[in-house]
Amino acid sequence: MTKQVPAYQRIKNAILDNIHSGKWQAGEAISTEMALAEEFGVSRMTVNRALKELSEERVLERRQGSGTFVAQQQFNHTFVEVRNIAQDLRSANRDYQAQVVSKRVITASMLDDELRRKFAIDSAAISGARSAADSSAAVLYEVKIIHFADAQPIQFEERWVDAQKLPEFIEQDFSIINTSEYLIAKSPLERGSYTIRALAAPDEIAALLQIAPQSPTLVLRRQTYSAGKVLTFVKMWHAGERYQFSGEL
């Protein structure tokens, strides 16, 4: 027997769907408690629980006397902040360009162990739940982009995004739209985690960055969460002699 979804959870899911679809943007007010109670046929107490939990998850911001708003996410520093490399380079008076190397749909059968782990995806469960006709359904989207500063490649970005949460992601022209900027605009980001490692560049990465194979690179790996789950995982390869991380303490 299928377990019935509690009313407060249905309200949470509906609110998140409206945010992820772009109906409610960051900083905008959502429907009032009274309107939500009427829409879902529940008490205001039930609505209050849904809004309280989303506020605790930093998806919503409740302002006394004003209403409830989609939270404007704040990130404090270089590594926690979701940086927009295009904006950073232009601010430094450098010419910026982006070249999309590839875009593709990742289905359940294409997932490797790292992606299954990062996105907490049970491939067997997904495959069992879908018919053969749905075997090509998107689980993740993948994009690979080279970022240039003054016509010199400075960063190679490999990014994976939850296709269910952002179905229109793959349709964007990322030679014009920055991926991080698009994600922040379309889905409220709660938190993130990252690592930075110095690695010798594999042949493929070296060719894309126009450096010698095995040259030193700085690799930033970051996963960012929305609604309690990983929304995007990215690897950013930086040519070691052309890039540095900096900030203030």
Side-chain angles (χ1 to χ4, degrees), residues 5-22:
V5 178
Y8 79 89
Q9 186 62 51
R10 287 192 289 110
I11 297 168
K12 286 181 67 175
N13 293 343
I15 291 171
L16 290 170
D17 286 345
N18 283 337
I19 294 171
H20 293 150
S21 69

Side-chain angles (χ1 to χ4, degrees), residues 1 38 51 55 63 69 77 83-84 108 116 118 144 182 185 201:
M1 182 178 295
E38 183 176 342
L51 299 184
S55 297
R63 303 174 190 170
F69 298 78
H77 210 270
R83 304 289 293 185
N84 180 340
R116 278 195 294 268
K118 288 293 184 185
K144 297 185 178 183
Y182 179 83

